[in-house]
Amino acid sequence: MNLKGRNFLTLKDFTPEEITWLLDLSADLKERKKKGIPVDVLKGRNVALLFEKDSTRTRCAFEVAAHDLGMGTTYLGPTGSQMGKKESIEDTARVLGRMYDGIEYRGFGQEIVEELAEYAGVPVWNGLTNEYHPTQMLADMLTIRENFGELKGLKLVYMGDARFNMGNSLMVACSKLGLHFVACTTREYFPDEKLVEICRGYAGESGGTITLTEDVEAGTKDADVIYTDVWVSMGEPDEVWEKRIRELTPYKVTKDVMGNAKETAIFLHCLPAFHDRKTKIGKEMGERFGIADMEVTDEVFESAQSKVFDEAENRMHTIKAVMAATLGAEIV
């Protein structure tokens, strides 16, 4: 499989075979990491990490993965570049493309990362936009495959706000790889209809299905994977908290929800998670609304079914695979 020179902007751009190959490469790189086998085959290369939104996992995953591959990194945080302020996206892309071998972008609209890719002349990787989060998808699918040995035919239920990057990306990934995707939430938070139709086309080819439901009991029945995310995304105003908590609390992942899934079901969350009051926002919302948690209970988050930290680790292995593949690394 030759992905050299390719951008990694959304899984819509990749075939099921290409996605599976990236998962296989991720698993191989993970095994080498565990055994202490070096893969520093990209010595002398450098990558730029362009972050308009802060992150723990994405930044650390890209930096460690690049270091393991022998590359240097330059982190440009929310105030670290002039992109969009004193310099256009197009010009920023052309400057960085002359200095770096690859560019990661994490920020706002999908159109930004697509414009970077259009003008950079080097591979551009989407670390998260409002619409898509493809590197997270590889980590999720690798984690699921590690637990079940396969992907095709499994039922994944996403609970909460399914309109943005996580709901969109999980629907794309599942439909490409033959999983049965369920968005379990109130109708207002269903994914975009146009994307649903595109994904139903993918699912028709892979053997997967797409289901949108407001019924928690029916939606989560016999699920293999229960997935959720925070209810308010980075950059959204504080005023939306009250509305989201009121409307999405029925879709919180609880012990009863997990009990309605298969006995072998696992819980996933892309993190960070508001499963207790040990964060500034968690404490503030807890005191304001009299709640101990939000999208998932602490009981579920800390349970044996929760694989969230395996999932977080897998961000690094899968991102390493993406960079290695698109930069043409020869790993023997």
Side-chain angles (χ1 to χ4, degrees):
M1 193 72 67
N2 183 7
L3 302 183
K4 184 177 181 180
R6 292 274 296 273
N7 298 307
F8 193 74
L9 309 182
T10 166
L11 289 187
K12 290 193 296 181
D13 300 333
F14 292 81
T15 66
E17 293 75 21
E18 289 170 335
I19 298 168
T20 300
W21 184 82
L22 283 170
L23 293 176
D24 292 342
L25 178 58
S26 302
D28 178 60
L29 290 170
K30 182 174 183 176
E31 183 177 5
R32 290 170 188 251
K33 176 84 170 177
K34 300 296 184 185
K35 291 180 177 178
I37 301 172
V39 291
D40 52 348
V41 293
L42 293 177
K43 289 179 180 178
R45 306 281 191 95
N46 294 281
V47 295
L49 308 179
L50 190 54
F51 279 67
E52 292 192 304
K53 288 184 179 180
D54 288 323
S55 170
T56 300
R57 276 150 299 282
T58 303
R59 177 180 177 178
C60 293
F62 268 99
E63 290 193 348
V64 173
H67 180 269
D68 283 357
L69 288 167
M71 296 192 291
T73 60
T74 299
Y75 173 77
L76 299 168
T79 61
S81 82
Q82 295 295 341
M83 189 179 79
K85 297 183 284 288
K86 293 183 178 180
E87 187 166 48
S88 67
I89 296 167
E90 176 183 345
D91 290 355
T92 300
R94 291 186 291 184
V95 169
L96 295 179
R98 295 294 185 95
M99 298 183 182
Y100 294 93
D101 299 281
I103 301 167
E104 181 272 350
Y105 172 80
R106 177 184 173 91
F108 298 95
Q110 182 73 11
E111 69 277 2
I112 299 174
V113 75
E114 289 178 356
E115 188 172 357
L116 284 169
E118 182 179 355
Y119 292 102
V122 297
V124 172
W125 310 298
N126 180 0
L128 174 142
T129 61
N130 294 340
E131 294 84 1
Y132 295 106
H133 199 357
T135 58
Q136 181 68 51
M137 291 307 100
L138 292 184
D140 295 343
M141 293 301 126
L142 180 61
T143 306
I144 294 168
R145 198 173 75 171
E146 287 173 341
N147 279 272
F148 296 100
E150 59 183 353
L151 292 171
K152 196 174 181 67
L154 297 177
K155 178 179 179 180
L156 183 148
V157 182
Y158 181 77
M159 304 183 72
D161 190 345
R163 300 172 298 171
F164 301 119
N165 47 43
M166 287 307 301
N168 290 345
S169 296
L170 283 165
M171 185 166 62
V172 171
C174 289
S175 61
K176 286 267 187 177
L177 297 173
L179 289 84
H180 302 295
F181 174 81
V182 179
C184 186
T185 185
T186 186
R187 188 171 299 275
E188 180 184 348
Y189 297 96
F190 282 174
D192 177 73
E193 290 182 8
K194 291 182 180 178
L195 184 59
V196 171
E197 288 308 307
I198 290 171
C199 289
R200 283 192 167 132
Y202 298 151
E205 296 178 2
S206 70
T209 56
I210 305 293
T211 302
L212 311 180
T213 182
E214 296 182 286
D215 188 326
V216 173
E217 185 173 356
T220 60
K221 183 66 176 175
D222 293 329
D224 296 288
V225 183
I226 302 291
Y227 202 121
T228 193
D229 188 15
V230 294
W231 291 339
V232 176
S233 298
M234 190 183 302
E236 290 191 279
D238 287 344
E239 300 83 72
V240 304
W241 276 108
E242 183 175 0
K243 182 176 188 292
R244 298 281 170 81
I245 290 171
R246 182 179 68 251
E247 295 176 345
L248 292 176
T249 291
Y251 300 95
K252 177 189 299 188
V253 180
T254 64
K255 182 180 179 181
D256 288 342
V257 166
M258 296 303 298
N260 194 45
K262 288 181 181 175
E263 188 175 342
T264 55
I266 62 173
F267 169 73
L268 295 180
H269 191 306
C270 56
L271 302 181
F274 294 121
H275 58 98
D276 54 27
R277 291 191 179 188
K278 295 179 182 178
T279 62
K280 181 180 178 180
I281 293 175
K283 181 180 179 182
E284 179 185 338
M285 295 303 144
E287 293 173 351
R288 183 173 165 189
F289 298 106
I291 54 177
D293 47 48
M294 280 187 264
E295 72 276 6
V296 58
T297 63
D298 194 56
E299 182 179 29
V300 170
F301 188 88
E302 297 292 355
S303 71
Q305 289 176 290
S306 176
K307 305 300 179 182
V308 298
F309 296 111
D310 293 340
E311 180 186 10
E313 177 193 335
N314 282 339
R315 292 295 307 286
M316 187 265 290
H317 304 299
T318 49
I319 282 170
K320 188 187 298 183
V322 169
M323 290 195 292
T326 57
L327 293 176
E330 295 185 12
I331 299 174
V332 181

